[in-house]
Amino acid sequence: MSFTLHGIPVSRGIAIGRAYLIAPAALDVDHYLIEPAQIESEVERFRAAQQRVHEELDALRADLAADAPSEMGAFINVHSMILNDAMLVQETIDLIRTRRYNVEWALTEQLERLSRHFDDIEDEYLRERKADIQQVVERVLKALAGASGSLVNGVHGACDEMIVVAHDIAPADMMQFKTQTFQGFVTDLGGRTSHTAIVARSLGIPAAVGVQHASALIRQDDLIIVDGDHGIVIVDPAPIVLEEYSYRQSEKALEQRKLQRLKFSPTQTLCGTRIELCANIELPEDARAAVDAGATGVGLFRTEFLFMNHKHRMPEEEEQFEAYRRAVELMNGLPVTIRTIDVGADKPLDSMSGGDGYETASNPALGLRAIRWSLSEPQMFLTQLRAILRASAFGTVKILVPMLAHAQEIDQTLDLIREAKRQLDDAGIAYDPNVQVGAMIEIPAAAIALPLFLKRLDFLSIGTNDLIQYTLAIDRADNSVAHLYDPLHPAVLHLIAFTLREAKRAGVPVSVCGEMAGDPSLTRLLLGMGLTEFSMHPSQLLVVKQEVLRSHLKTLEKPVADVLASFEPEEVQAALKRVAQA
Ligand code: PEP
Ligand code: MG
């Protein structure tokens, strides 16, 4: 039966394919007693599932991308070891033999026993192994059920027509999709600018989030259409609907091909104003897509993604340095803006659990996030700063600092940058002494108290995702309030316009690197407010460029002023229409 689900569009385009469900592991399994004569075949069933998971782990290990965090390999090894451990394997077999439990029951019973044991352990590292054992058991259960063992493995070897459907996907898991092929994705949870959505957008595939109950209503292998422009998911479409969407899909492919022609033309408005279009990246290798799309630099390198999937430690200075240098070299002389780690909120690190109170923070988006966390971990921060500075010897590097609000935070950060330079000087290591330091303007307080920033920093970058979140008090990752997340709210527009105007007046370069910069429907508005430097996912670059090439700044002046003078939603909409037609 065909039905349609509605969610939030986060990545444009149309995908048609078979649903691949990533279900949370079903630990609630059948419980039944087997006959004595079935014992050996039940043990054999367990052994076969164990073998299958071994093969999956081996395949996963062999397929690790060259730039995958090194902890990924260690993590797979730990799972292989657990899979052979007598505490899990022998005890489960004993339960099958002595109590005549079916294998699923025996396995979950043994997991429960082990978990109780682990709960009593004082050592935090060992206690955390409980999660690993649980994941291994989940893999075996899935193998017993004939499904693939994990999110990563599930996608491994996927055919091109696959669309991932999940309740939720953590940003760290989303990163693993970068090395896989699939057509689109759908999740029950999430908001337009949740980090999961942002990573999905960087993959350039159609996606919808906040599609409530999608993972419960869609079944494995269902034929589905994802309309990433409108956030619509059509399950089991009628032939005529399928035909219509196939047609639209080919039209879009044609549009994409046409856009490629713009790649080499300079980015300037009809009146000749040069506009910089830079790229947002999450991993060094993303710089290739940036160069391919014709970006004139990296405006935002979200370094926290390098820190994810590192189970128990931060990457060493050397490892970070290599990653930053790689991005710089791939950009081949073009500037690379490296943002210091922005963890917390919807991007927790594995190592943040434990004594720092992060897990118990009642509102992590307002808690120890981004620069606040870095300043609370000065040694970690210095390590990152040294690594970034060292990369500056290989090209043009700028340092961008997230979530600053207070003068003393800026001053402490600048002090630590000076300290990192001193340490490199003492060690005789090269770096660019004139490396520029900039701030994200993403907390309303920063925008309102802009002179604090203009006086102290070399450049600014407006993070509209958080600026909207904090101005409107809307959790950007919470789909229950997603309808209130409004980039066009007059308060948001005023903060952006004010920041652009004041920075220009002070002669401080300013860009926008939030998702608004990559939304072609907002390009004219931002140009009219005076923005000349945009940074966005490479996949958005050409469509934004097309808008720039069609715009004339003079004709935008009046309608954009009208937008800013409007407060009633209808007036704002009417003025925006005039912006679009200018
Ligand atoms: C932003 O907040 O707009 C931004 C670019 O940073 P992030 O999305 O990583 O929080
Ligand atoms: Mg931000």
Side-chain angles (χ1 to χ4, degrees), residues 56-77 139 152-153 156 175-180 309:
E56 287 174 354
L57 290 172
D58 288 346
L60 188 53
R61 194 183 289 110
D63 271 12
L64 275 186
D67 63 352
S70 62
E71 288 289 316
M72 280 285 291
F75 172 65
I76 296 168
N77 292 342
R139 281 177 186 275
V152 181
N153 261 351
H156 167 74
M175 292 304 285
Q176 294 171 29
F177 286 134
K178 288 213 173 213
T179 54
Q180 312 288 345
N309 296 320

PDB file of all heavy atoms in Angstrom, residues 56-77 139 152-153 156 175-180 309:
ATOM      1  N   GLU A  56      32.405 -10.211   8.832  1.00  0.00           N
ATOM      2  CA  GLU A  56      31.984  -8.800   8.693  1.00  0.00           C
ATOM      3  C   GLU A  56      33.037  -7.865   9.262  1.00  0.00           C
ATOM      4  O   GLU A  56      33.364  -6.843   8.656  1.00  0.00           O
ATOM      5  CB  GLU A  56      30.657  -8.574   9.425  1.00  0.00           C
ATOM      6  CG  GLU A  56      29.463  -9.179   8.717  1.00  0.00           C
ATOM      7  CD  GLU A  56      28.176  -9.066   9.541  1.00  0.00           C
ATOM      8  OE1 GLU A  56      28.236  -8.614  10.698  1.00  0.00           O
ATOM      9  OE2 GLU A  56      27.128  -9.444   9.015  1.00  0.00           O
ATOM     10  N   LEU A  57      33.580  -8.229  10.417  1.00  0.00           N
ATOM     11  CA  LEU A  57      34.594  -7.366  11.030  1.00  0.00           C
ATOM     12  C   LEU A  57      35.855  -7.323  10.175  1.00  0.00           C
ATOM     13  O   LEU A  57      36.462  -6.261   9.996  1.00  0.00           O
ATOM     14  CB  LEU A  57      34.927  -7.852  12.450  1.00  0.00           C
ATOM     15  CG  LEU A  57      33.822  -7.661  13.498  1.00  0.00           C
ATOM     16  CD1 LEU A  57      34.189  -8.347  14.809  1.00  0.00           C
ATOM     17  CD2 LEU A  57      33.560  -6.181  13.773  1.00  0.00           C
ATOM     18  N   ASP A  58      36.221  -8.474   9.609  1.00  0.00           N
ATOM     19  CA  ASP A  58      37.407  -8.503   8.741  1.00  0.00           C
ATOM     20  C   ASP A  58      37.200  -7.609   7.522  1.00  0.00           C
ATOM     21  O   ASP A  58      38.084  -6.854   7.117  1.00  0.00           O
ATOM     22  CB  ASP A  58      37.703  -9.937   8.267  1.00  0.00           C
ATOM     23  CG  ASP A  58      38.243 -10.794   9.415  1.00  0.00           C
ATOM     24  OD1 ASP A  58      38.625 -10.212  10.451  1.00  0.00           O
ATOM     25  OD2 ASP A  58      38.250 -12.033   9.272  1.00  0.00           O
ATOM     26  N   ALA A  59      35.994  -7.694   6.965  1.00  0.00           N
ATOM     27  CA  ALA A  59      35.698  -6.873   5.770  1.00  0.00           C
ATOM     28  C   ALA A  59      35.744  -5.404   6.141  1.00  0.00           C
ATOM     29  O   ALA A  59      36.267  -4.566   5.397  1.00  0.00           O
ATOM     30  CB  ALA A  59      34.320  -7.251   5.218  1.00  0.00           C
ATOM     31  N   LEU A  60      35.220  -5.089   7.298  1.00  0.00           N
ATOM     32  CA  LEU A  60      35.201  -3.703   7.751  1.00  0.00           C
ATOM     33  C   LEU A  60      36.619  -3.180   7.947  1.00  0.00           C
ATOM     34  O   LEU A  60      36.969  -2.079   7.507  1.00  0.00           O
ATOM     35  CB  LEU A  60      34.437  -3.671   9.079  1.00  0.00           C
ATOM     36  CG  LEU A  60      34.097  -2.326   9.684  1.00  0.00           C
ATOM     37  CD1 LEU A  60      33.386  -1.455   8.681  1.00  0.00           C
ATOM     38  CD2 LEU A  60      33.216  -2.528  10.902  1.00  0.00           C
ATOM     39  N   ARG A  61      37.451  -4.020   8.534  1.00  0.00           N
ATOM     40  CA  ARG A  61      38.853  -3.639   8.771  1.00  0.00           C
ATOM     41  C   ARG A  61      39.565  -3.403   7.442  1.00  0.00           C
ATOM     42  O   ARG A  61      40.260  -2.413   7.252  1.00  0.00           O
ATOM     43  CB  ARG A  61      39.549  -4.742   9.566  1.00  0.00           C
ATOM     44  CG  ARG A  61      40.879  -4.349  10.159  1.00  0.00           C
ATOM     45  CD  ARG A  61      41.536  -5.513  10.872  1.00  0.00           C
ATOM     46  NE  ARG A  61      40.906  -5.903  12.112  1.00  0.00           N
ATOM     47  CZ  ARG A  61      40.230  -7.037  12.308  1.00  0.00           C
ATOM     48  NH1 ARG A  61      40.078  -7.906  11.329  1.00  0.00           N
ATOM     49  NH2 ARG A  61      39.681  -7.321  13.473  1.00  0.00           N
ATOM     50  N   ALA A  62      39.323  -4.309   6.498  1.00  0.00           N
ATOM     51  CA  ALA A  62      39.995  -4.199   5.196  1.00  0.00           C
ATOM     52  C   ALA A  62      39.531  -2.969   4.436  1.00  0.00           C
ATOM     53  O   ALA A  62      40.268  -2.391   3.642  1.00  0.00           O
ATOM     54  CB  ALA A  62      39.715  -5.458   4.378  1.00  0.00           C
ATOM     55  N   ASP A  63      38.309  -2.535   4.715  1.00  0.00           N
ATOM     56  CA  ASP A  63      37.732  -1.420   3.954  1.00  0.00           C
ATOM     57  C   ASP A  63      37.946  -0.055   4.576  1.00  0.00           C
ATOM     58  O   ASP A  63      37.463   0.936   4.048  1.00  0.00           O
ATOM     59  CB  ASP A  63      36.214  -1.617   3.855  1.00  0.00           C
ATOM     60  CG  ASP A  63      35.868  -2.426   2.640  1.00  0.00           C
ATOM     61  OD1 ASP A  63      36.804  -2.989   2.056  1.00  0.00           O
ATOM     62  OD2 ASP A  63      34.689  -2.480   2.282  1.00  0.00           O
ATOM     63  N   LEU A  64      38.640  -0.023   5.723  1.00  0.00           N
ATOM     64  CA  LEU A  64      38.803   1.275   6.380  1.00  0.00           C
ATOM     65  C   LEU A  64      39.502   2.253   5.447  1.00  0.00           C
ATOM     66  O   LEU A  64      40.521   1.933   4.855  1.00  0.00           O
ATOM     67  CB  LEU A  64      39.646   1.113   7.652  1.00  0.00           C
ATOM     68  CG  LEU A  64      38.912   0.709   8.925  1.00  0.00           C
ATOM     69  CD1 LEU A  64      39.869   0.748  10.097  1.00  0.00           C
ATOM     70  CD2 LEU A  64      37.744   1.640   9.189  1.00  0.00           C
ATOM     71  N   ALA A  65      38.919   3.440   5.346  1.00  0.00           N
ATOM     72  CA  ALA A  65      39.531   4.443   4.467  1.00  0.00           C
ATOM     73  C   ALA A  65      40.891   4.843   5.035  1.00  0.00           C
ATOM     74  O   ALA A  65      41.116   4.759   6.246  1.00  0.00           O
ATOM     75  CB  ALA A  65      38.619   5.660   4.404  1.00  0.00           C
ATOM     76  N   ALA A  66      41.777   5.279   4.136  1.00  0.00           N
ATOM     77  CA  ALA A  66      43.128   5.621   4.568  1.00  0.00           C
ATOM     78  C   ALA A  66      43.112   6.691   5.654  1.00  0.00           C
ATOM     79  O   ALA A  66      43.944   6.686   6.552  1.00  0.00           O
ATOM     80  CB  ALA A  66      43.939   6.095   3.373  1.00  0.00           C
ATOM     81  N   ASP A  67      42.142   7.619   5.567  1.00  0.00           N
ATOM     82  CA  ASP A  67      42.138   8.698   6.548  1.00  0.00           C
ATOM     83  C   ASP A  67      41.163   8.431   7.698  1.00  0.00           C
ATOM     84  O   ASP A  67      40.823   9.318   8.458  1.00  0.00           O
ATOM     85  CB  ASP A  67      41.817  10.050   5.888  1.00  0.00           C
ATOM     86  CG  ASP A  67      40.428  10.064   5.288  1.00  0.00           C
ATOM     87  OD1 ASP A  67      39.781   8.999   5.244  1.00  0.00           O
ATOM     88  OD2 ASP A  67      39.989  11.150   4.877  1.00  0.00           O
ATOM     89  N   ALA A  68      40.726   7.182   7.818  1.00  0.00           N
ATOM     90  CA  ALA A  68      39.825   6.867   8.937  1.00  0.00           C
ATOM     91  C   ALA A  68      40.596   7.015  10.239  1.00  0.00           C
ATOM     92  O   ALA A  68      41.779   6.678  10.309  1.00  0.00           O
ATOM     93  CB  ALA A  68      39.307   5.444   8.801  1.00  0.00           C
ATOM     94  N   PRO A  69      39.930   7.545  11.269  1.00  0.00           N
ATOM     95  CA  PRO A  69      40.634   7.685  12.542  1.00  0.00           C
ATOM     96  C   PRO A  69      41.222   6.349  12.976  1.00  0.00           C
ATOM     97  O   PRO A  69      40.578   5.306  12.838  1.00  0.00           O
ATOM     98  CB  PRO A  69      39.514   8.124  13.497  1.00  0.00           C
ATOM     99  CG  PRO A  69      38.468   8.718  12.617  1.00  0.00           C
ATOM    100  CD  PRO A  69      38.557   7.998  11.314  1.00  0.00           C
ATOM    101  N   SER A  70      42.469   6.378  13.495  1.00  0.00           N
ATOM    102  CA  SER A  70      43.164   5.131  13.778  1.00  0.00           C
ATOM    103  C   SER A  70      42.421   4.296  14.821  1.00  0.00           C
ATOM    104  O   SER A  70      42.542   3.086  14.867  1.00  0.00           O
ATOM    105  CB  SER A  70      44.576   5.437  14.256  1.00  0.00           C
ATOM    106  OG  SER A  70      44.479   6.179  15.452  1.00  0.00           O
ATOM    107  N   GLU A  71      41.643   4.996  15.656  1.00  0.00           N
ATOM    108  CA  GLU A  71      40.908   4.267  16.685  1.00  0.00           C
ATOM    109  C   GLU A  71      39.868   3.321  16.091  1.00  0.00           C
ATOM    110  O   GLU A  71      39.455   2.371  16.739  1.00  0.00           O
ATOM    111  CB  GLU A  71      40.215   5.255  17.623  1.00  0.00           C
ATOM    112  CG  GLU A  71      41.154   5.982  18.550  1.00  0.00           C
ATOM    113  CD  GLU A  71      41.728   5.068  19.621  1.00  0.00           C
ATOM    114  OE1 GLU A  71      40.977   4.283  20.207  1.00  0.00           O
ATOM    115  OE2 GLU A  71      42.931   5.126  19.840  1.00  0.00           O
ATOM    116  N   MET A  72      39.445   3.610  14.874  1.00  0.00           N
ATOM    117  CA  MET A  72      38.452   2.726  14.240  1.00  0.00           C
ATOM    118  C   MET A  72      38.991   1.303  14.156  1.00  0.00           C
ATOM    119  O   MET A  72      38.298   0.336  14.420  1.00  0.00           O
ATOM    120  CB  MET A  72      38.124   3.218  12.820  1.00  0.00           C
ATOM    121  CG  MET A  72      37.146   4.350  12.773  1.00  0.00           C
ATOM    122  SD  MET A  72      35.457   3.830  13.094  1.00  0.00           S
ATOM    123  CE  MET A  72      35.098   2.875  11.630  1.00  0.00           C
ATOM    124  N   GLY A  73      40.281   1.189  13.745  1.00  0.00           N
ATOM    125  CA  GLY A  73      40.899  -0.128  13.608  1.00  0.00           C
ATOM    126  C   GLY A  73      40.972  -0.822  14.961  1.00  0.00           C
ATOM    127  O   GLY A  73      40.612  -1.990  15.102  1.00  0.00           O
ATOM    128  N   ALA A  74      41.392  -0.054  15.978  1.00  0.00           N
ATOM    129  CA  ALA A  74      41.518  -0.627  17.320  1.00  0.00           C
ATOM    130  C   ALA A  74      40.154  -1.090  17.821  1.00  0.00           C
ATOM    131  O   ALA A  74      40.018  -2.152  18.438  1.00  0.00           O
ATOM    132  CB  ALA A  74      42.092   0.421  18.265  1.00  0.00           C
ATOM    133  N   PHE A  75      39.161  -0.316  17.524  1.00  0.00           N
ATOM    134  CA  PHE A  75      37.804  -0.584  17.950  1.00  0.00           C
ATOM    135  C   PHE A  75      37.307  -1.909  17.331  1.00  0.00           C
ATOM    136  O   PHE A  75      36.718  -2.757  17.999  1.00  0.00           O
ATOM    137  CB  PHE A  75      37.020   0.632  17.455  1.00  0.00           C
ATOM    138  CG  PHE A  75      35.556   0.604  17.563  1.00  0.00           C
ATOM    139  CD1 PHE A  75      34.950   0.572  18.805  1.00  0.00           C
ATOM    140  CD2 PHE A  75      34.772   0.665  16.421  1.00  0.00           C
ATOM    141  CE1 PHE A  75      33.576   0.589  18.892  1.00  0.00           C
ATOM    142  CE2 PHE A  75      33.410   0.676  16.504  1.00  0.00           C
ATOM    143  CZ  PHE A  75      32.809   0.639  17.755  1.00  0.00           C
ATOM    144  N   ILE A  76      37.622  -2.113  16.060  1.00  0.00           N
ATOM    145  CA  ILE A  76      37.223  -3.364  15.396  1.00  0.00           C
ATOM    146  C   ILE A  76      37.971  -4.547  16.023  1.00  0.00           C
ATOM    147  O   ILE A  76      37.404  -5.610  16.246  1.00  0.00           O
ATOM    148  CB  ILE A  76      37.496  -3.269  13.878  1.00  0.00           C
ATOM    149  CG1 ILE A  76      36.608  -2.178  13.266  1.00  0.00           C
ATOM    150  CG2 ILE A  76      37.240  -4.604  13.184  1.00  0.00           C
ATOM    151  CD1 ILE A  76      36.985  -1.794  11.859  1.00  0.00           C
ATOM    152  N   ASN A  77      39.260  -4.314  16.346  1.00  0.00           N
ATOM    153  CA  ASN A  77      40.035  -5.399  16.965  1.00  0.00           C
ATOM    154  C   ASN A  77      39.441  -5.816  18.305  1.00  0.00           C
ATOM    155  O   ASN A  77      39.355  -7.004  18.614  1.00  0.00           O
ATOM    156  CB  ASN A  77      41.492  -4.968  17.175  1.00  0.00           C
ATOM    157  CG  ASN A  77      42.193  -4.818  15.838  1.00  0.00           C
ATOM    158  OD1 ASN A  77      41.709  -5.343  14.828  1.00  0.00           O
ATOM    159  ND2 ASN A  77      43.293  -4.095  15.813  1.00  0.00           N
ATOM    160  N   ARG A 139      25.459  -7.551  17.072  1.00  0.00           N
ATOM    161  CA  ARG A 139      25.889  -8.033  15.750  1.00  0.00           C
ATOM    162  C   ARG A 139      25.552  -9.517  15.581  1.00  0.00           C
ATOM    163  O   ARG A 139      25.073  -9.933  14.529  1.00  0.00           O
ATOM    164  CB  ARG A 139      27.409  -7.901  15.598  1.00  0.00           C
ATOM    165  CG  ARG A 139      27.905  -6.533  15.279  1.00  0.00           C
ATOM    166  CD  ARG A 139      29.427  -6.565  15.238  1.00  0.00           C
ATOM    167  NE  ARG A 139      29.989  -5.258  15.068  1.00  0.00           N
ATOM    168  CZ  ARG A 139      30.170  -4.659  13.887  1.00  0.00           C
ATOM    169  NH1 ARG A 139      29.828  -5.276  12.794  1.00  0.00           N
ATOM    170  NH2 ARG A 139      30.691  -3.461  13.817  1.00  0.00           N
ATOM    171  N   VAL A 152      27.633   0.241   9.922  1.00  0.00           N
ATOM    172  CA  VAL A 152      28.683   0.370   8.925  1.00  0.00           C
ATOM    173  C   VAL A 152      28.659  -0.815   7.967  1.00  0.00           C
ATOM    174  O   VAL A 152      28.668  -0.668   6.756  1.00  0.00           O
ATOM    175  CB  VAL A 152      30.060   0.449   9.605  1.00  0.00           C
ATOM    176  CG1 VAL A 152      31.146   0.616   8.574  1.00  0.00           C
ATOM    177  CG2 VAL A 152      30.088   1.568  10.595  1.00  0.00           C
ATOM    178  N   ASN A 153      28.585  -2.000   8.562  1.00  0.00           N
ATOM    179  CA  ASN A 153      28.587  -3.175   7.710  1.00  0.00           C
ATOM    180  C   ASN A 153      27.342  -3.265   6.853  1.00  0.00           C
ATOM    181  O   ASN A 153      27.372  -3.745   5.744  1.00  0.00           O
ATOM    182  CB  ASN A 153      28.651  -4.428   8.575  1.00  0.00           C
ATOM    183  CG  ASN A 153      30.064  -4.922   8.637  1.00  0.00           C
ATOM    184  OD1 ASN A 153      30.905  -4.426   7.902  1.00  0.00           O
ATOM    185  ND2 ASN A 153      30.316  -5.865   9.489  1.00  0.00           N
ATOM    186  N   HIS A 156      27.973  -1.388   4.000  1.00  0.00           N
ATOM    187  CA  HIS A 156      29.089  -1.901   3.219  1.00  0.00           C
ATOM    188  C   HIS A 156      28.583  -2.790   2.085  1.00  0.00           C
ATOM    189  O   HIS A 156      27.751  -3.665   2.291  1.00  0.00           O
ATOM    190  CB  HIS A 156      30.008  -2.695   4.147  1.00  0.00           C
ATOM    191  CG  HIS A 156      30.999  -3.522   3.413  1.00  0.00           C
ATOM    192  ND1 HIS A 156      32.080  -2.969   2.794  1.00  0.00           N
ATOM    193  CD2 HIS A 156      31.038  -4.842   3.168  1.00  0.00           C
ATOM    194  CE1 HIS A 156      32.767  -3.928   2.216  1.00  0.00           C
ATOM    195  NE2 HIS A 156      32.151  -5.068   2.426  1.00  0.00           N
ATOM    196  N   MET A 175      29.497  10.166   9.425  1.00  0.00           N
ATOM    197  CA  MET A 175      30.797  10.323   8.779  1.00  0.00           C
ATOM    198  C   MET A 175      31.205   9.046   8.065  1.00  0.00           C
ATOM    199  O   MET A 175      31.880   9.073   7.048  1.00  0.00           O
ATOM    200  CB  MET A 175      31.879  10.642   9.813  1.00  0.00           C
ATOM    201  CG  MET A 175      31.748  11.979  10.455  1.00  0.00           C
ATOM    202  SD  MET A 175      31.711  13.283   9.256  1.00  0.00           S
ATOM    203  CE  MET A 175      33.428  13.350   8.786  1.00  0.00           C
ATOM    204  N   GLN A 176      30.793   7.906   8.640  1.00  0.00           N
ATOM    205  CA  GLN A 176      31.206   6.651   8.023  1.00  0.00           C
ATOM    206  C   GLN A 176      30.531   6.447   6.670  1.00  0.00           C
ATOM    207  O   GLN A 176      31.020   5.706   5.831  1.00  0.00           O
ATOM    208  CB  GLN A 176      30.899   5.498   8.971  1.00  0.00           C
ATOM    209  CG  GLN A 176      31.751   5.603  10.218  1.00  0.00           C
ATOM    210  CD  GLN A 176      31.339   4.624  11.281  1.00  0.00           C
ATOM    211  OE1 GLN A 176      30.838   3.564  10.975  1.00  0.00           O
ATOM    212  NE2 GLN A 176      31.526   4.997  12.516  1.00  0.00           N
ATOM    213  N   PHE A 177      29.411   7.108   6.471  1.00  0.00           N
ATOM    214  CA  PHE A 177      28.735   6.987   5.179  1.00  0.00           C
ATOM    215  C   PHE A 177      29.522   7.664   4.057  1.00  0.00           C
ATOM    216  O   PHE A 177      29.242   7.482   2.894  1.00  0.00           O
ATOM    217  CB  PHE A 177      27.344   7.606   5.235  1.00  0.00           C
ATOM    218  CG  PHE A 177      26.361   6.771   5.992  1.00  0.00           C
ATOM    219  CD1 PHE A 177      25.529   7.343   6.922  1.00  0.00           C
ATOM    220  CD2 PHE A 177      26.267   5.415   5.756  1.00  0.00           C
ATOM    221  CE1 PHE A 177      24.620   6.578   7.624  1.00  0.00           C
ATOM    222  CE2 PHE A 177      25.355   4.644   6.454  1.00  0.00           C
ATOM    223  CZ  PHE A 177      24.534   5.224   7.386  1.00  0.00           C
ATOM    224  N   LYS A 178      30.483   8.508   4.478  1.00  0.00           N
ATOM    225  CA  LYS A 178      31.251   9.211   3.441  1.00  0.00           C
ATOM    226  C   LYS A 178      31.958   8.242   2.510  1.00  0.00           C
ATOM    227  O   LYS A 178      32.285   8.593   1.394  1.00  0.00           O
ATOM    228  CB  LYS A 178      32.276  10.150   4.082  1.00  0.00           C
ATOM    229  CG  LYS A 178      31.641  11.355   4.723  1.00  0.00           C
ATOM    230  CD  LYS A 178      32.555  12.557   4.617  1.00  0.00           C
ATOM    231  CE  LYS A 178      31.829  13.799   5.121  1.00  0.00           C
ATOM    232  NZ  LYS A 178      32.207  15.010   4.441  1.00  0.00           N
ATOM    233  N   THR A 179      32.251   7.051   3.012  1.00  0.00           N
ATOM    234  CA  THR A 179      32.985   6.108   2.166  1.00  0.00           C
ATOM    235  C   THR A 179      32.043   5.084   1.530  1.00  0.00           C
ATOM    236  O   THR A 179      32.500   4.127   0.931  1.00  0.00           O
ATOM    237  CB  THR A 179      34.049   5.364   2.988  1.00  0.00           C
ATOM    238  OG1 THR A 179      33.381   4.762   4.115  1.00  0.00           O
ATOM    239  CG2 THR A 179      35.137   6.278   3.485  1.00  0.00           C
ATOM    240  N   GLN A 180      30.763   5.256   1.690  1.00  0.00           N
ATOM    241  CA  GLN A 180      29.811   4.269   1.165  1.00  0.00           C
ATOM    242  C   GLN A 180      28.956   4.889   0.062  1.00  0.00           C
ATOM    243  O   GLN A 180      28.842   6.092  -0.020  1.00  0.00           O
ATOM    244  CB  GLN A 180      28.885   3.797   2.286  1.00  0.00           C
ATOM    245  CG  GLN A 180      29.592   3.404   3.560  1.00  0.00           C
ATOM    246  CD  GLN A 180      30.337   2.100   3.440  1.00  0.00           C
ATOM    247  OE1 GLN A 180      30.104   1.347   2.509  1.00  0.00           O
ATOM    248  NE2 GLN A 180      31.237   1.834   4.352  1.00  0.00           N
ATOM    249  N   ASN A 309      34.880   9.321  16.824  1.00  0.00           N
ATOM    250  CA  ASN A 309      35.279   7.930  16.606  1.00  0.00           C
ATOM    251  C   ASN A 309      36.653   7.606  17.200  1.00  0.00           C
ATOM    252  O   ASN A 309      37.235   6.596  16.879  1.00  0.00           O
ATOM    253  CB  ASN A 309      35.264   7.555  15.111  1.00  0.00           C
ATOM    254  CG  ASN A 309      33.867   7.645  14.547  1.00  0.00           C
ATOM    255  OD1 ASN A 309      32.902   7.253  15.201  1.00  0.00           O
ATOM    256  ND2 ASN A 309      33.740   8.191  13.356  1.00  0.00           N
TER     257      ASN A 309
END
